[in-house]
Amino acid sequence: MNKQQLFENIKKKQSFLCVGLDTDIKKIPEHLLKEEDPIFAFNKAIIDATQDLCIAYKPNLAFYESMGVKGWMAFEKTVNYIKQNYPDQFIIADAKRGDIGNTSAMYARTFFEELDIDSVTVAPYMGEDSVTPFLTYEGKWVILLALTSNKGSHDFQLTEDKDGERLFEKVLRKSQEWANDENMMYVVGATQGRMFEDIRKIVPHHFLLVPGVGAQGGSLEEVCKYGMTKECGLIVNSSRGIIYVDKTENFAAASRKAAQEVQAQMAEQLKAILG
């Protein structure tokens, strides 16, 4: 999926919502534990209930890897289900990979060849040769960690060099030598507020994947005020605030209602750029 196709889907659905499939077997409704594959059964129900309200799904690999082979099977089934039934969805493998070149090449092969996923999150700490193997695949996206929503982001990402440049700013500037806004996005946490202004000075046209709205306390209105572009430029993720709002047999309907509330807010925000 290219940038224009992503924007067209945002316009069509009046939404830039990404539903995070952070599926924890200890948190899903108990009645699903009787299923042959409880994780996939939960994901399928959430996807069917929300697919017309969002433009992306983001399975977080940690939740699947924690279950070994069974988890990986559920992850693959989830990805295949989305691709076969809702091909307009942008799929993000939230894997936060990044290693020496030959290892990154294997990670890239996993997600882009074996699984044929649209994008993968990548950690930039090891530099160019750890990221570029992911960029060799036409039509695929790297989503580079820039300024995250967790408390610990201040430990490194906001540190300044002798010229006053913060580490996340260095990541944004340097990485533009490797790719452009047609195949690279950045992770910027919703809790960073007005920092989006500083980010947009460096990457005015890139899409930003924005976690942290909802359960982590990020403000959608603030993210849009400081981060939205004329092409929207935002994919805002909500995980717990949508998928875990109900633990009864009506969980899917409850998740749909939660997604509808977010989508309605997004439609209002999109009016400014779409008219």
Side-chain angles (χ1 to χ4, degrees):
M1 184 179 295
N2 62 36
K3 188 179 180 182
Q4 185 60 35
Q5 289 170 327
L6 185 57
F7 183 42
E8 290 299 325
N9 209 23
I10 288 170
K11 290 190 289 185
K12 181 179 74 172
K13 294 189 174 183
Q14 291 286 289
S15 175
F16 45 97
L17 173 63
C18 172
V19 175
L21 298 174
D22 298 0
T23 309
D24 184 346
I25 197 162
K26 295 183 179 180
K27 293 182 179 179
I28 66 175
E30 285 189 14
H31 73 277
L32 292 177
L33 299 179
K34 300 174 185 177
E35 298 282 342
E36 180 181 351
D37 188 338
I39 295 296
F40 175 67
F42 177 82
N43 287 352
K44 180 179 180 296
I46 294 290
I47 292 162
D48 288 340
T50 60
Q51 53 82 26
D52 59 321
L53 303 168
C54 65
I55 52 95
Y57 288 101
K58 182 176 73 63
N60 186 317
L61 268 292
F63 290 85
Y64 302 89
E65 291 173 337
S66 68
M67 295 184 63
V69 173
K70 290 187 297 183
W72 262 101
M73 290 175 66
F75 171 71
E76 289 193 52
K77 284 162 68 176
T78 298
V79 168
N80 289 334
Y81 184 77
I82 296 169
K83 287 165 57 180
Q84 290 167 11
N85 293 278
Y86 309 111
D88 64 338
Q89 292 289 341
F90 187 72
I91 304 176
I92 302 167
D94 191 0
K96 299 179 180 70
R97 299 300 197 249
D99 206 327
I100 60 172
N102 63 332
T103 308
S104 278
M106 294 300 103
Y107 285 137
R109 184 186 296 178
T110 298
F111 295 109
F112 293 154
E113 290 187 36
E114 180 66 23
L115 297 169
D116 193 25
I117 291 175
D118 295 297
S119 63
V120 62
T121 56
V122 176
Y125 191 78
M126 291 181 69
E128 179 180 7
D129 61 327
S130 70
V131 177
T132 50
F134 295 94
L135 294 166
T136 61
Y137 291 84
E138 187 175 352
K140 303 299 184 182
W141 291 81
V142 165
I143 307 181
L144 208 63
L145 301 180
L147 186 57
T148 55
S149 56
N150 60 306
K151 182 181 177 182
S153 64
H154 292 245
D155 291 343
F156 299 115
Q157 296 166 27
L158 296 181
T159 56
E160 298 181 7
D161 64 16
K162 59 182 176 60
D163 298 316
E165 183 179 50
R166 290 166 291 187
L167 182 57
F168 79 88
E169 292 172 317
K170 189 180 295 292
V171 168
L172 292 172
R173 289 193 176 95
K174 184 65 179 178
S175 61
Q176 287 182 79
E177 298 175 11
W178 314 333
N180 57 40
D181 60 10
E182 294 286 343
N183 62 348
M184 183 175 280
M185 304 183 188
Y186 296 97
V187 175
V188 180
T191 56
Q192 298 297 346
R194 291 197 64 166
M195 297 281 267
F196 279 84
E197 281 188 314
D198 296 337
I199 288 162
R200 281 303 185 201
K201 290 174 184 175
I202 304 171
V203 288
H205 305 300
H206 286 71
F207 262 87
L208 306 178
L209 173 62
V210 185
V213 165
Q216 293 185 53
S219 164
L220 177 62
E221 185 176 5
E222 200 167 55
V223 168
C224 293
K225 180 179 180 180
Y226 299 118
M228 187 174 277
T229 71
K230 65 180 181 180
E231 295 175 311
C232 183
L234 299 170
I235 300 175
V236 173
N237 181 78
S238 180
S239 300
R240 288 169 285 173
I242 290 178
I243 68 173
Y244 292 137
V245 291
D246 188 285
K247 291 191 176 182
T248 71
E249 293 188 2
N250 297 318
F251 74 96
S255 292
R256 177 173 178 79
K257 184 178 179 181
Q260 282 176 319
E261 291 174 359
V262 178
Q263 184 271 330
Q265 295 174 48
M266 291 181 169
E268 282 297 311
Q269 295 293 337
L270 284 168
K271 284 182 181 179
I273 62 169
L274 300 180

